[in-house]
């Protein structure tokens, strides 16, 4: 019998605080700015807010490099602000999930300052230090996600330390029980502050193979940079279960593990309730379909059939055991309407709504990334200086060093750069889209006069109101939350169709990814939601217009 849970029935909204709303004119989003917009989120129908890191940080990776796990970053406000925000979220009947970044800390964290001070320091083993190889080179050939090697030589103590991400993000040593205890204490402290759960950053990276062996083929960078030796490592399930036992057990909280490189078989192990590990995971297979063997910057064309195969595989794999997260967007991914839809003129709104139907009618917990509900698009900056993301800036510098033309790199950055998702939230058509009265830390997308929350809320046919209706449907139809899943028309080149069934109710969902008409056989049923004002159905033949989405319900 299906175990009903509040987080299975919820829709989560991800706030990237730096780009959400600036209340004090310094050009950086902040916590008081979030408080100003809680009614906007409540009216959208949001149940849970996932807040990207707001902890004290030097912002080498915009807060994913934490210097103090129990202090709020100055730019974002104070702990008093955070408490007020949490109170205001709960007062509105919403919940707060914080971002837990414990695969690594900032190199400015006191633990690392101590650790690097001497080989005998009691904190030395909080991080992963190794001597150079005989020829002085790094301990192995792993590459960093942010270009260059994953090892940095520290002159003072004459050893290398591991950093899968930037040099300022040294990996914590989870083999060290003291590190695990520090993390569990910190998590408990935040739960006691009223947090309702955690999104756990690259949490499947924390168990490395102890020998830290060379990657077989570091040039063939799959999802993670030679990561076959630290993704889903030997003790990961032990650590996840220990975390459950030590922190999460008995608490009515939600957990989602961000897991580049996880497959559906592993995901069942992480999310089966009887294993007492996590509630759900973020998989990356569907957002790596348009990447070649060289990783994300090795561009490949989007293929709807490939996306369908992957999402159907995940729907079926976790249908009876475990639970899916559903996302096409977040602060690391390009904007979904530009990537999977069609952001040109008349197709933008239609395809944004079609993608929303595709995701929100599926089995799993949907995640809406800030601005997705407006149909915000990728941004094209013409100089590298306009981009802020360390991943982008490091890649550009490294590739230019290797002679790759500027124009080619700028195209790759336009298609896949993370700043596409980090341009400021577009609130209205005023200066800087109403995000700030100052100079924004990252330029606003020039299309804000057309795409912004104020005009969307005023327009009943906007993407915003369409999301509001989809979220309402999830709140009022158990078949959407708990129904079975089966794909329909599985060989159609342009139409992604599926059915959901529960207690005699049957939902059939049709989504066209084409800018042409497509005729498909369609079952009976009343229209539940659609992104056109009418439905072209003649008998059991349904004609889908460009980017048309329609959902039928049979009771
Ligand atoms: O991302 C993990 C991760 O693998 C991403 O770096 C992703 O693969 C890549 O950005 C795709 O472009 C998490 C956070 O979401 C990300 O913002 C951080 O930079 C990273 O971990 C390190 O904390
Ligand atoms: Ca601010």
């Amino acid at each position: 019998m299906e175990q009903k849970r509040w987080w299975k029935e919820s829709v989560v909204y991800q706030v990237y605080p730096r780009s959400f709303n600036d209340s004090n004119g310094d050009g950086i989003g902040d916590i008081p700015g979030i408080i100003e917009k809680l009614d906007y989120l409540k009216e959208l129908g949001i149940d849970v807010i996932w807040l990207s890191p707001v902890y004290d940080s030097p912002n080498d990776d915009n807060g994913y490099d934490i210097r103090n796990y129990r202090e709020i970053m100055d730019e974002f406000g104070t702990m008093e602000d955070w408490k007020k925000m949490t109170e205001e979220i709960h007062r509105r009947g919403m919940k707060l999930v914080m971002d837990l970044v414990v695969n690594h800390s900032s190199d400015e964290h006191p633990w690392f300052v101590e650790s690097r001070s001497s080989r005998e320091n009691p904190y030395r083993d909080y991080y992963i230090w190794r001597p150079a190889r005989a020829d002085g080179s790094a301990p192995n050939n792993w590459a960093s996600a942010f270009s260059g090697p994953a090892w940095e030589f520290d002159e003072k103590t004459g050893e290398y330390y591991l950093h899968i991400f930037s040099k300022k993000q040294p990996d914590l040593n989870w083999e060290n029980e003291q590190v695990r205890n520090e993390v569990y204490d910190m998590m408990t402290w935040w739960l006691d502050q009223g947090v309702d759960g955690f999104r756990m950053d690259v949490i499947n990276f924390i168990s490395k193979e102890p020998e830290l062996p060379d990657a077989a083929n570091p040039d063939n960078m799959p999802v993670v940079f030679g990561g076959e030796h630290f993704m889903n490592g030997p003790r990961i399930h032990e650590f996840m279960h220990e975390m459950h036992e030590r922190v999460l057990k008995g608490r009515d909280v939600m957990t989602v593990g961000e897991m580049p490189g996880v497959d559906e078989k592993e995901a069942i192990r992480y999310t089966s309730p009887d294993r007492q590990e996590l509630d759900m995971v973020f998989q990356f297979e569907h957002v790596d379909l348009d990447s070649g063997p060289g990783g994300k910057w090795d561009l490949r064309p989007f293929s709807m059939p490939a996306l369908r195969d992957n999402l159907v595989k995940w729907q079926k794999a976790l249908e009876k055991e475990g639970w899916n997260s559903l996302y096409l967007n977040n602060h690391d991914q390009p904007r979904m309407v530009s990537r999977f839809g069609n952001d040109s003129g008349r197709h933008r709104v239609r395809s944004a709504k079609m993608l929303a139907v595709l995701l929100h009618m599926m089995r799993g917990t949907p995640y809406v990334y800030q601005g997705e509900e407006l149909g915000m698009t990728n941004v094209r900056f013409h100089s590298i200086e306009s981009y802020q993301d360390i991943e982008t800036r490091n890649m550009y510098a490294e590739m230019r060093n290797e002679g790759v033309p500027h124009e080619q790199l700028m195209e790759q950055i336009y298609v896949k750069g993370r700043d596409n998702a980090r341009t400021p939230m577009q609130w209205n058509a005023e200066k800087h889209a109403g995000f700030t009265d100052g100079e924004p830390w990252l330029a606003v997308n020039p299309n804000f006069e057309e795409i912004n929350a104020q005009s969307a809320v005023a327009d009943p046919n906007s993407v915003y109101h369409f999301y509001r209706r989809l979220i309402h449907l999830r709140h009022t139809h158990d078949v959407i939350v708990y129904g079975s899943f089966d794909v329909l028309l599985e060989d159609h080149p342009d139409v992604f169709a599926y059915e959901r069934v529960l207690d005699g109710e049957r939902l059939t969902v049709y989504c066209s990814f084409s800018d042409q008409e497509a005729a498909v056989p369609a079952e009976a049923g009343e229209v539940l939601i659609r992104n056109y004002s009418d439905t072209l159905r003649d008998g059991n033949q349904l004609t889908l217009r460009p980017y048309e989405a329609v959902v039928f319900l049979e009771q």
Side-chain angles (χ1 to χ4, degrees):
M1 181 57 194
E2 180 96 57
Q3 293 178 346
K4 299 211 171 192
R5 293 285 183 273
W6 59 264
W7 41 264
K8 292 183 176 179
E9 300 164 10
S10 293
V11 175
V12 183
Y13 188 98
Q14 181 192 356
V15 169
Y16 190 70
R18 197 172 189 80
S19 306
F20 191 63
N21 185 36
D22 170 24
S23 71
N24 62 354
D26 66 357
I28 298 170
D30 47 56
I31 290 175
I34 295 171
I35 296 173
E36 287 174 14
K37 301 296 183 185
L38 290 179
D39 287 335
Y40 168 83
L41 296 180
K42 183 64 182 173
E43 279 144 33
L44 182 55
I46 293 306
D47 304 291
V48 180
I49 295 169
W50 153 26
L51 187 58
S52 275
V54 292
Y55 317 97
D56 174 46
S57 164
N59 286 305
D60 191 53
D61 185 17
N62 288 355
Y64 282 91
D65 48 317
I66 296 169
R67 181 166 51 198
N68 186 326
Y69 284 95
R70 301 189 198 200
E71 284 296 328
I72 300 300
M73 185 189 310
D74 287 343
E75 294 94 321
F76 289 164
T78 66
M79 188 56 86
E80 288 321 303
D81 293 328
W82 182 89
K83 286 178 178 166
K84 171 95 173 110
M85 175 193 69
T86 305
E87 193 184 297
E88 289 299 313
I89 289 171
H90 288 154
R91 196 165 62 77
R92 289 169 175 77
M94 296 188 287
K95 292 179 181 287
L96 172 65
V97 162
M98 293 278 273
D99 213 312
L100 182 74
V101 187
V102 290
N103 171 68
H104 48 272
S105 74
S106 166
D107 68 342
E108 298 181 25
H109 192 293
W111 295 341
F112 191 71
V113 173
E114 287 295 319
S115 178
R116 76 183 319 169
S117 67
S118 91
R119 294 192 193 189
E120 293 66 45
N121 187 289
Y123 287 90
R124 185 68 172 182
D125 258 358
Y126 270 46
Y127 295 87
I128 300 172
W129 293 92
R130 291 291 185 283
R133 281 177 162 154
D135 64 359
S137 65
N140 70 26
N141 64 356
W142 296 358
S144 160
F146 297 156
S147 302
W151 295 91
E152 178 71 7
F153 188 70
D154 188 70
E155 295 291 342
K156 182 156 192 217
T157 58
E159 287 192 325
Y160 283 89
Y161 66 85
L162 178 67
H163 60 87
I164 290 173
F165 293 97
S166 87
K167 292 175 184 154
K168 288 181 67 63
Q169 292 171 290
D171 280 58
L172 284 160
N173 174 18
W174 275 71
E175 298 300 319
N176 182 344
E177 188 174 12
Q178 284 179 289
V179 167
R180 302 203 303 273
N181 290 339
E182 296 268 15
V183 169
Y184 302 154
D185 290 351
M186 176 268 289
M187 289 175 72
T188 300
W189 187 83
W190 278 107
L191 291 173
D192 291 344
Q193 301 297 317
V195 166
D196 301 295
F198 295 103
R199 174 268 189 187
M200 301 184 190
D201 191 64
V202 289
I203 198 69
N204 64 322
F205 287 14
I206 60 177
S207 166
K208 277 79 170 173
E209 282 176 35
E211 310 74 41
L212 305 179
D214 271 346
N217 178 359
D219 298 331
N220 172 8
M221 291 201 309
V223 159
V224 274
F225 10 97
E228 63 267 33
H229 300 299
F230 57 75
M231 284 184 311
N232 313 306
R235 298 182 68 187
I236 188 61
H237 291 287
E238 173 197 340
F239 292 158
M240 291 293 86
H241 184 64
E242 181 182 68
M243 179 189 281
H244 182 276
E245 292 302 295
R246 292 280 303 278
V247 181
L248 303 166
K249 189 169 189 169
R251 290 190 185 253
D252 185 19
V253 294
M254 169 190 136
T255 55
V256 51
E258 186 215 22
M259 299 197 168
V262 72
D263 65 17
E264 71 282 7
K265 294 175 185 59
E266 275 295 331
I268 294 171
R269 298 180 67 211
Y270 285 114
T271 64
S272 293
D274 56 4
R275 290 179 56 90
Q276 298 183 324
E277 294 184 18
L278 296 172
D279 294 322
M280 58 190 117
V281 301
F282 288 137
Q283 62 116 347
F284 277 66
E285 291 179 346
H286 64 315
V287 292
D288 279 311
L289 293 170
D290 52 4
S291 305
K296 67 179 276 184
W297 304 110
D298 178 1
L299 304 185
R300 290 289 185 275
F302 163 60
S303 145
M304 188 285 278
L307 178 68
R308 174 175 53 208
D309 291 349
N310 183 264
L311 293 184
V312 168
K313 177 185 83 169
W314 279 85
Q315 286 287 298
K316 295 307 288 178
L318 275 66
E319 185 178 21
K320 303 279 187 289
E321 205 178 351
W323 191 254
N324 269 300
S325 68
L326 305 170
Y327 80 96
L328 291 174
N329 246 153
N330 61 38
H331 65 292
D332 292 330
Q333 300 295 331
R335 289 281 178 181
M336 66 197 244
V337 71
S338 302
R339 185 183 202 178
F340 302 113
N342 181 334
D343 63 7
S344 68
R346 60 201 175 92
H347 292 315
R348 181 182 63 82
V349 169
R350 199 87 75 189
S351 67
K353 292 177 180 177
M354 180 277 290
L355 291 168
V357 166
L358 179 78
L359 212 62
H360 283 256
M361 293 295 106
M362 278 188 175
R363 182 179 166 87
T365 298
Y367 287 74
V368 178
Y369 177 64
Q370 69 182 46
E372 172 186 332
E373 78 279 12
L374 305 180
M376 280 177 65
T377 69
N378 283 356
V379 67
R380 193 183 288 276
F381 294 136
H382 297 289
S383 104
I384 189 62
E385 280 66 40
S386 300
Y387 288 97
Q388 298 299 323
D389 177 19
I390 185 169
E391 180 188 51
T392 291
R393 300 291 289 261
N394 286 3
M395 180 280 288
Y396 180 87
E398 184 178 60
M399 290 298 118
R400 290 293 292 135
N401 258 346
E402 293 182 15
V404 178
H406 166 81
E407 293 68 24
Q408 178 189 325
L409 293 173
M410 295 307 278
E411 179 58 22
Q412 288 168 275
I413 292 166
Y414 168 66
V415 174
K416 286 288 192 70
R418 301 194 298 180
D419 282 330
N420 278 313
R422 300 172 182 190
T423 60
M425 181 69 176
Q426 294 165 198
W427 293 109
N428 58 44
E430 311 297 316
K431 193 161 180 270
H432 301 314
F435 163 73
T436 177
D437 298 336
E439 276 311 302
W441 70 279
L442 175 68
V444 175
N445 191 317
N447 61 20
F448 71 93
E449 286 165 348
E450 180 210 348
I451 303 173
N452 64 72
Q454 186 174 47
S455 58
V457 171
D459 169 8
N461 295 318
S462 63
V463 180
Y464 167 86
H465 283 295
F466 197 80
Y467 266 77
R468 212 166 49 75
R469 290 169 51 210
L470 282 171
I471 294 168
H472 178 68
L473 288 175
R474 178 169 291 269
H475 289 159
T476 50
H477 291 72
D478 272 358
V479 63
I480 297 172
V481 179
Y482 294 109
S484 63
F485 175 96
D486 280 292
V487 66
L488 302 173
L489 310 176
E490 60 190 322
D491 298 322
H492 199 289
D494 298 310
V495 176
F496 191 147
Y498 58 85
E499 67 175 9
R500 308 286 314 281
V501 175
L502 181 73
D503 303 339
E505 280 204 337
R506 180 167 179 260
L507 211 64
T508 48
V509 181
Y510 299 85
C511 294
S512 173
F513 280 69
S514 169
D515 58 3
Q516 306 298 315
E517 278 197 3
V520 294
E523 322 289 313
E526 295 304 310
V527 173
L528 192 64
I529 192 167
R530 61 187 173 198
N531 66 351
Y532 277 74
S533 54
D534 58 357
T535 302
L536 305 182
R537 185 165 64 179
D538 175 7
N540 81 340
Q541 164 137 324
L542 175 67
T543 300
L544 295 171
R545 290 153 288 187
Y547 303 105
E548 183 161 359
V550 57
V551 180
F552 300 106
L553 176 64
E554 289 170 79
Q555 284 164 315

